[in-house]
Amino acid sequence: EEHAPWINSAIIYHITPSAFIRGGSYDDIADKVAEIKQLGINTIWLQPVYATPSKGQGYNVTDYFSLREDFGTEHQLKELIDRAKALQLRVLFDFVPNHTSIQHPYAQDCIKHGRQSHYYNFYQHENDGAPYSSYYKKNEHGFVNYFWDDLVNLNYDNEEVQQWIIEACKYWIRKFDIDGYRFDAVWAVNARAPSFAKRLRTELKAIKPDFMTLAEDKGSVTSVYNAGF
């Protein structure tokens, strides 16, 4: 499928805020973007910026629509993005579509109310035999996960889940005019719901046609490229 020409020449620098610079705030990172550009970089990729119950890398999301507080405010993140763009650097966010933290309010509602929870079917509870299903584990609450009990798989057979994730992705494009997402563990979503990627890509490119969708998936598998990554 067509993709924007800038993607062919993207040189991406991955930033883990807490490990990148002492302090690890958006302001601290903003002070370094000129140095990053001097390295020949033209695109920066920020690890997850969304609400998380821990101070780690942030792949255990508890709210896709709000920022984690330890890196700074929305205003400070916008200042970082604006400074990067003023230097002709594109900006990617890291997005986590496969799972939420078990501490996400929806997962907690499932634990409290079981099958009576509206959010029970937001999560995977059964072995569907999809690719990589040999890695499935069930935690004590009946959620399916791959490697970590507290990162519980979403159920992409549920239309509400698909719309929820799409809206979350749209939200940050509209808010900060970011240039792309690196989709964490999207190999798992592609395995369980192979048709979702094209829907997601179509909806995001309707907002920003030159948007980049970067997959964490096998580079040797043509289906990943056919899905638009």
Side-chain angles (χ1 to χ4, degrees), residues 4 9 42 75 79 89 151 173 181 205 220:
S9 56
N42 58 27
H75 176 73
E79 288 287 312
L89 292 171
L151 301 182
I173 301 173
Y181 284 117
K205 286 175 75 69
S220 59

Side-chain angles (χ1 to χ4, degrees), residues 28-155:
D28 295 324
I29 297 166
D31 288 340
K32 290 290 185 180
V33 291
E35 286 184 44
I36 292 173
K37 183 177 175 66
Q38 288 174 358
L39 296 174
I41 305 302
N42 58 27
T43 308
I44 59 173
W45 151 23
L46 292 173
Q47 271 197 321
V49 297
Y50 322 105
T52 175
S54 64
K55 301 295 185 184
Q57 291 181 314
Y59 293 100
N60 51 337
V61 176
T62 50
D63 184 356
Y64 288 109
F65 294 90
S66 63
L67 298 179
R68 56 187 293 172
E69 296 179 351
D70 52 326
F71 292 166
T73 64
E74 284 191 1
H75 176 73
Q76 289 169 311
L77 178 52
K78 185 177 187 305
E79 288 287 312
L80 164 58
I81 293 168
D82 288 348
R83 191 178 299 190
K85 286 178 176 280
L87 291 168
Q88 285 76 54
L89 292 171
R90 307 219 182 222
V91 179
L92 307 183
F93 276 11
D94 209 324
F95 196 88
V96 189
N98 176 67
H99 52 262
T100 73
S101 166
I102 199 166
Q103 295 184 50
H104 192 287
Y106 293 175
Q108 289 296 303
D109 195 82
C110 292
I111 292 170
K112 184 175 182 180
H113 299 291
R115 290 179 182 272
Q116 301 306 309
S117 169
H118 175 75
Y119 302 106
Y120 183 82
N121 286 323
F122 275 49
Y123 291 93
Q124 182 182 4
H125 301 280
E126 303 299 333
N127 188 330
D128 56 8
Y132 310 117
S133 59
S134 60
Y135 295 110
Y136 287 161
K137 296 186 298 177
K138 266 196 178 184
N139 69 15
E140 60 181 311
H141 301 292
F143 293 93
V144 173
N145 63 85
Y146 286 101
F147 307 113
W148 294 277
D149 283 349
D150 59 343
L151 301 182
V152 287
N153 285 1
L154 291 169
N155 172 24

